[in-house]
Amino acid sequence: MSTTERPRILIVGGGYVGLYAAMRILKKMRYGEATVTVVDPRSYMTYLPFLPEAAGGNVAPRNLVAPLRRVLQKAEVLTGHVTGVDHGRKVATISPLAGDSYELPFDYLVVAAGSVSRTFPIPGLAEHGIGMKTVEEAIGLRNHVMAQLDKAESTTDKDVRRQALTFVFVGGGFAGVETIAEVEDMARDAAKIYNTVSREDMRFILVEAANRILPEMGPDLGVWTKERLEERGIEVFLETSMESCVDKHVVLKNGVEADASTIVWTAGVKPNPVLASFGLPLGPRGHVDTAPTLQVKGFDNVWAAGDNAQVPDLAAGEGAWCPPNAQHAVRQAIVLGDNVISGMRGFPQAEYKHKNLGAVAGLGLHKGVAILFGKYKLKGRPAWWFHRLYHGSRVPTMNRKVRVFTDWTLAMFLKREAVGLAQMENPREAFYEAATPVPAPRSEKPLPEKVSS
């Protein structure tokens, strides 16, 4: 970390808003006008819409992350947490990955801490649930699913086999539907190389508390998606919830019970809890309360956007808020970056307004659903192509765009890799066993005394 007398723009979070806002500020800022500092516990930004495809093996994990230090070469990037903010003194408390915490002064603050998984006190969930908010979770899920197929192929115990081949997904939004669709597609394809495991042996369950899935798509496309999933053998239970999953025994509110080795939780997100220590006004659900200019109410040097912000949706009318999705986060970041520069120079702030571009969802290879500009509806392969075209174009940096489209192009001619690397979860285990001294075996009977000749 360098020291400087220039004004500091401190950006908390290196996700969508943090990365794109920093890129915008660096682009618009005059040389030497300010120092941009980005703080995030990870040294990379993750393109979240690709997590389901990563879980399905269609996107390599390295291609859905952008290293912050490479992308933001003119900024300071600190790997750690911002644990508190003192607005009176204009200092933030930084907790690095190693070493003691310290205070960092700032002049302008951008709050882009994002969100975390929204969970409930369900017995067994913390012990056995798998989230889908990080690239590590997505790759871990893929490796875990492939390990279950290996386990089922190798055991003669019917109960163990049944549990290994039962997969429960909780949450019928974009994350849940896309993830179960991609994983089922991968498992169906992978089963072809197993002798005793087929798709008919597997059980996939999708649980949603509302009365439909993909609510952002509208009721008709939600019904169409549910029917397509059921045609693939996926059980979809609406208006129900998971009551417990102790010892991986899943109990649903509608009475359905199943032993499942895989329990994936995608039932929504909530603002990062660290916001409570930032001394900012929060809305009823914990979001930072902002004006349409993305300025935090009551502050002229603090801005917020994305999943952790309550941003008025001027296009939807009074009282409406922008939903927490990537489409809004990226576009808000551009306005936010411009407003930080304007605020620093004493110019008026611009309001965030948007036109709805629609929504897209991938449902496995060559399958998808989309609604464009709120009225044009696509299903099947055309929607899948649009899904890939849109998200491929949104991946940050040209380097990642080229890599992603290259992977997709090669996949048209090469078979999907049906291999899981479950040992990646504990990579040192084999070395530890090899390096641990093996105790000498003890004889049950005492050895006879040596007789001298």
Side-chain angles (χ1 to χ4, degrees):
M1 184 188 66
S2 65
T3 59
T4 177
E5 297 299 326
R6 294 177 294 182
R8 173 177 273 113
I9 302 169
L10 176 61
I11 301 177
V12 182
Y16 287 112
V17 173
L19 176 66
Y20 284 100
M23 292 171 62
R24 186 71 171 185
I25 292 170
L26 291 170
K27 180 180 178 180
K28 296 285 187 177
M29 192 173 63
R30 292 188 293 264
Y31 177 78
E33 188 173 6
T35 296
V36 177
T37 302
V38 180
V39 183
D40 193 277
R42 290 180 171 83
S43 62
Y44 51 84
M45 174 265 195
T46 303
Y47 190 70
L48 297 180
F50 276 164
L51 291 183
E53 288 211 49
N58 294 321
V59 175
R62 67 182 182 278
N63 294 338
L64 58 91
V65 298
L68 296 177
R69 287 181 173 85
R70 181 173 293 278
V71 178
L72 305 174
Q73 295 186 26
K74 295 181 180 180
E76 292 180 339
V77 176
L78 307 179
T79 305
H81 297 267
V82 176
T83 57
V85 178
D86 186 333
H87 294 281
R89 297 168 50 222
K90 287 190 177 181
V91 295
T93 302
I94 310 295
S95 177
L97 293 185
D100 298 331
S101 298
Y102 58 89
E103 291 186 338
L104 185 71
F106 67 86
D107 298 275
Y108 306 95
L109 179 66
V110 174
V111 181
S115 60
V116 299
S117 295
R118 181 187 62 187
T119 59
F120 303 100
I122 299 173
L125 178 61
E127 294 79 9
H128 306 298
I130 302 173
M132 274 294 288
K133 278 287 293 177
T134 68
V135 63
E136 293 85 359
E137 289 174 326
I139 302 307
L141 174 60
R142 170 179 165 75
N143 291 333
H144 172 81
V145 169
M146 295 304 302
Q148 302 316 302
L149 302 188
D150 292 339
K151 183 189 297 185
E153 175 91 344
S154 307
T155 185
T156 58
D157 189 313
K158 292 183 178 179
D159 291 335
V160 172
R161 177 183 171 89
R162 185 182 304 108
Q163 184 183 59
L165 297 179
T166 301
F167 310 92
V168 177
F169 292 72
V170 182
F174 280 108
V177 171
E178 289 188 293
T179 303
I180 194 173
E182 291 285 355
V183 170
E184 188 276 337
D185 203 42
M186 176 190 70
R188 179 188 296 271
D189 195 31
K192 298 174 183 177
I193 67 173
Y194 289 85
N195 293 323
T196 62
V197 175
S198 66
R199 174 60 182 89
E200 289 69 28
D201 299 321
M202 306 176 201
R203 186 181 186 188
F204 283 85
I205 299 173
L206 178 63
V207 182
E208 169 54 42
N211 60 1
R212 69 188 189 198
I213 60 175
L214 295 181
E216 297 88 348
M217 291 288 189
D220 53 343
L221 289 181
V223 170
W224 183 88
T225 302
K226 177 176 178 292
E227 292 173 349
R228 300 294 82 74
L229 294 179
E230 290 174 335
E231 287 176 359
R232 292 162 58 176
I234 299 174
E235 302 172 49
V236 182
F237 297 114
L238 302 179
E239 298 183 274
T240 192
S241 58
M242 184 172 70
E243 293 192 332
S244 70
C245 56
V246 176
D247 295 329
K248 298 186 178 181
H249 180 72
V250 175
V251 178
L252 303 184
K253 192 173 182 180
N254 61 0
V256 173
E257 298 187 24
D259 290 321
S261 64
T262 306
I263 304 166
V264 182
W265 183 266
T266 61
V269 297
K270 63 181 180 181
N272 196 318
V274 75
L275 298 177
S277 62
F278 281 13
L280 300 173
L282 303 180
R285 294 180 297 169
H287 299 80
V288 179
D289 195 9
T290 74
T293 59
L294 305 176
Q295 282 181 299
V296 176
K297 292 185 177 179
F299 295 83
D300 59 5
N301 69 324
V302 184
W303 294 260
D307 290 1
N308 68 185
Q310 182 175 276
V311 180
D313 189 345
L314 300 182
E318 186 176 354
W321 312 104
C322 295
N325 58 37
Q327 184 182 138
H328 280 291
V330 173
R331 292 193 283 176
Q332 287 171 3
I334 303 301
V335 177
L336 187 152
D338 289 344
N339 281 349
V340 170
I341 296 295
S342 296
M344 190 165 55
R345 296 173 182 172
F347 297 151
Q349 304 279 299
E351 294 184 337
Y352 172 69
K353 299 178 181 179
H354 72 95
K355 293 182 179 179
N356 186 7
L357 298 179
V360 292
L363 304 176
L365 281 176
H366 310 135
K367 298 174 283 288
V369 62
I371 180 168
L372 311 181
F373 307 107
K375 55 182 179 180
Y376 302 108
K377 300 174 183 178
L378 299 177
K379 305 173 183 177
R381 190 181 290 263
W384 178 78
W385 279 113
F386 190 85
H387 169 268
R388 287 206 156 178
L389 179 64
Y390 175 76
H391 283 302
S393 67
R394 297 289 92 190
V395 178
T397 79
M398 182 57 66
N399 182 304
R400 291 299 180 272
K401 288 180 174 64
V402 172
R403 290 178 182 273
V404 167
F405 279 105
T406 299
D407 279 354
W408 286 341
T409 302
L410 291 175
M412 297 172 61
F413 306 100
L414 304 175
K415 292 183 178 179
R416 191 203 312 243
E417 287 288 348
V419 60
L421 302 174
Q423 286 72 23
M424 288 182 63
E425 305 303 315
N426 298 288
R428 293 191 66 252
E429 184 175 350
F431 179 80
Y432 178 80
E433 292 179 358
T436 303
V438 179
R442 293 183 179 180
S443 176
E444 295 182 0
K445 296 181 179 180
L447 295 175
E449 294 183 4
K450 184 178 180 181
V451 179
S452 58
S453 55

